Amino acid sequence: MLSCSNEPEPIVYGSDSCAYCKMTIVSKAHSAQIVTKKGKQIKYDAIECLVKDNLQNYEETEVALILVANYREPGTMLPANDALFVINEKITSPMGANLAATKKDSEIEETSASYTWNELKNHFLLEDSQSQR
């Protein structure tokens, strides 16, 4: 179905597949989604899949909306720019990055590394460049 709407479609947990790793999306606490300006819906089982796919395949000018699951309220989504991204070994995300998103004003554990959306993208770029050495 073609759509010109920039509104997100709900993720069908247990049925939709991740656009990046192809796993079935099951975690309401870690899922994510991109909606392009042309209305294409791109769904992910983990925020780390979203970040990697976004960095590799999408220019900011193509993207209308980036949403990430609110870890503290599974099943609700936040705009990526309004989220605080937390990396903590106590978080078990689907692809093993120990990554979750919360509202920027949420309390986080002191042992957590936290990032804004742009900082998170830079963190993944740095990780990728170090792993390619």
Side-chain angles (χ1 to χ4, degrees):
M1 179 171 115
L2 283 178
S3 170
C4 291
S5 171
N6 292 342
E7 293 298 314
E9 292 176 357
I11 294 172
V12 181
Y13 294 95
S15 178
D16 284 342
S17 295
C18 178
Y20 187 75
C21 73
K22 309 303 182 214
M23 288 178 59
T24 301
I25 303 170
V26 294
S27 175
K28 292 181 179 183
H30 295 97
S31 57
Q33 182 173 9
I34 289 176
V35 181
T36 68
K37 289 184 177 172
K38 293 182 177 181
K40 182 177 179 185
Q41 305 284 327
I42 307 151
K43 301 173 184 179
Y44 303 94
D45 74 322
I47 296 169
E48 48 265 41
C49 289
L50 159 76
V51 176
K52 291 176 182 182
D53 195 37
N54 179 249
L55 289 171
Q56 293 170 11
N57 297 308
Y58 297 96
E59 296 293 326
E60 283 187 43
T61 56
E62 296 176 275
V63 176
L65 189 60
I66 299 175
L67 297 171
V68 293
N70 183 346
Y71 185 71
R72 299 203 187 277
E73 295 176 31
T76 62
M77 303 294 264
L78 302 167
N81 286 325
D82 295 342
L84 179 69
F85 296 89
V86 179
I87 297 175
N88 183 309
E89 62 187 33
K90 293 179 183 175
I91 297 170
T92 308
S93 57
M95 299 305 292
N98 304 325
L99 174 62
T102 65
K103 291 181 182 176
K104 282 187 179 175
D105 59 357
S106 295
E107 297 271 331
I108 60 166
E109 292 191 36
E110 290 183 22
T111 57
S112 301
S114 62
Y115 304 89
T116 65
W117 173 241
N118 285 328
E119 290 169 342
L120 184 68
K121 290 190 296 184
N122 288 333
H123 173 78
F124 273 80
L125 282 171
L126 181 62
E127 264 189 5
D128 285 349
S129 68
Q130 289 175 344
S131 69
Q132 292 177 2
R133 290 183 188 168

